[in-house]
Amino acid sequence: SSFAKAGAVPMHTWVPDLAEHSPTGVAAYFPASLDKLLGILKLAIVLNLIFRAGWQFSLLVAYLGAATIMIGVAMALVQHDIKRLLSFHAVSQVGYMLLGVGLGTPLGLLGGFFHLINNCTYKACLFFTAGAVQSTTGTRDLGRLGGLWRSMPVTFACALVAALAISGVPPLNGFASKWVLYQAMLDLSAEHPECIGLLIVAMFGSTLTLASFVKYMSGVFLGGSSGGLRGVREAPRRMLAPMVALAALCVAFGLFPQVILYPLSLGVDHMTGEQGAPLSSSLFL
C-alpha cells in the first residue's frame, strides 16, 4: 500500500490518469504532495521502526526507486499533454525518495524526507502553472502552445524556477535534497559498491528530467506563438499568488536548506536511534 499511495513503479498508473482528468488543485494536492507524504512516511516507518528490514530488502526498495526514476522520466519525455507530462515526473521524483528510504542510513532518510518536502513545492508550482496555461489558452497540448512568455511573464518565471528545481539545478531546493541523497550513496559505496550504480542512475535521471523540461518550457513558453493564442493574458492574481509563493520557497529552501534539514534531522534521529549523524554528515551545515 505504501508503493501505491506514493505512486511508485509498478503501482504508478493511477497518477497520470488522476492528473489528466482532475482539476488543477486536485492534481497539485494529491500526485504532487499528499500521496507522497502518506506513502513514503509509511514505508519509512515500516522499514525502520516496525520490521527493521535487513540490507537485502532495503536494497530492493532502492532498486525499485531507481526503476521508478527512469521509467517515470522516460514516459514524461514522450508526452504531449502538459498535465500527463508533469504527472510522470511526479512518479519519477518518488524514486529519489525511495532511494533515501531504501538506503536506511540517517543521511539517506534525511535526503529522502527533504526531497519529499521539496517535491511538494516545485511539483505543486508546476501543476499550478499548467493550470494557468490551460485556463487562459483552453488547451494542454504542447503542439498548440508556444510563445507564452510574453503574455504570461509571471507564470513563465514561476514555471522556470520550478522546472530548474525539479531538475536539480543549483542553488534551488531540488539540488539541495538530491545532493544529500548523493552524499548518502557515496558514504555507503565503500561497504556496498552497488550504491555507485544507484548514484549513476539518480544523476542520469536528473539529466533526463532537465531535458524533458527543456521540451516543456520551449513548447509552452518559448518558440513561436501559435496563431490561435492571440490575445492571451496573464493569469488572474488568485492563480498567480500560490505559484509565486511556491517558487519563492524553491529558492529559499535551496539557499537555506538548514531551515528544513535541522527539524527533519530530529525526527530521523528518533527513527534510527542515532544522534547527530544526519546534520554532522551534511555538506550544508
Side-chain angles (χ1 to χ4, degrees):
S1 66
S2 298
F3 278 76
K5 286 180 182 295
V9 169
M11 302 177 184
H12 65 288
T13 54
W14 65 272
V15 176
D17 291 337
L18 174 65
E20 182 180 6
H21 300 295
S22 63
T24 300
V26 174
Y29 188 57
F30 280 96
S33 55
L34 182 62
D35 61 319
K36 305 295 182 292
L37 175 62
L38 295 177
I40 297 300
L41 183 58
K42 179 180 179 181
L43 182 63
I45 291 173
V46 168
L47 293 181
N48 293 277
L49 294 180
I50 299 179
F51 293 110
R52 296 286 182 181
W55 170 249
Q56 294 302 321
F57 187 81
S58 295
L59 184 62
L60 174 62
V61 173
Y63 281 149
L64 288 172
T68 299
I69 291 173
M70 297 308 299
I71 292 173
V73 75
M75 291 300 297
L77 282 166
V78 299
Q79 300 302 313
H80 296 282
D81 183 295
I82 58 177
K83 277 192 173 182
R84 285 189 69 86
L85 184 151
L86 295 179
S87 69
F88 277 109
H89 279 297
V91 171
S92 179
Q93 294 303 300
V94 176
Y96 291 95
M97 304 170 207
L98 291 178
L99 281 177
V101 173
L103 293 177
T105 63
L107 193 59
L109 289 170
L110 185 67
F113 292 152
F114 188 24
H115 198 70
L116 187 156
I117 293 173
N118 289 336
N119 180 77
C120 292
T121 59
Y122 55 63
K123 181 55 65 177
C125 183
L126 285 166
F127 273 115
F128 283 139
T129 59
V133 168
Q134 181 183 359
S135 175
T136 55
T137 64
T139 182
R140 301 196 308 259
D141 187 350
L142 281 174
R144 299 172 58 190
L145 295 167
L148 294 180
W149 73 272
R150 296 182 182 86
S151 53
M152 304 181 71
V154 178
T155 301
F156 165 67
C158 292
L160 179 61
V161 169
L164 293 175
I166 193 175
S167 302
V169 176
L172 300 170
N173 60 345
F175 169 79
S177 52
K178 287 181 180 181
W179 188 259
V180 177
L181 289 169
Y182 296 162
Q183 184 62 57
M185 284 180 271
L186 284 173
D187 288 349
L188 270 179
S189 62
E191 183 179 357
H192 300 286
E194 56 268 29
C195 288
I196 293 296
L198 294 173
L199 175 61
I200 293 172
V201 170
M203 297 179 71
F204 186 55
S206 291
T207 302
L208 293 181
T209 300
L210 180 60
S212 177
F213 276 99
V214 168
K215 168 187 172 180
Y216 176 79
M217 296 301 294
S218 62
V220 176
F221 295 103
L222 304 177
S225 178
S226 174
L229 298 181
R230 293 180 183 143
V232 172
R233 297 178 179 271
E234 181 60 273
R237 292 182 181 179
R238 61 182 173 80
M239 299 182 73
L240 293 177
M243 67 176 77
V244 169
L246 290 166
L249 288 177
C250 291
V251 177
F253 292 168
L255 293 175
F256 307 103
Q258 306 95 323
V259 174
I260 302 298
L261 287 173
Y262 181 73
L264 279 180
S265 70
L266 301 179
V268 170
D269 285 344
H270 177 73
M271 181 175 291
T272 61
E274 298 187 27
Q275 299 296 322
L279 289 179
S280 63
S281 301
S282 173
L283 297 181
F284 297 105
L285 299 172

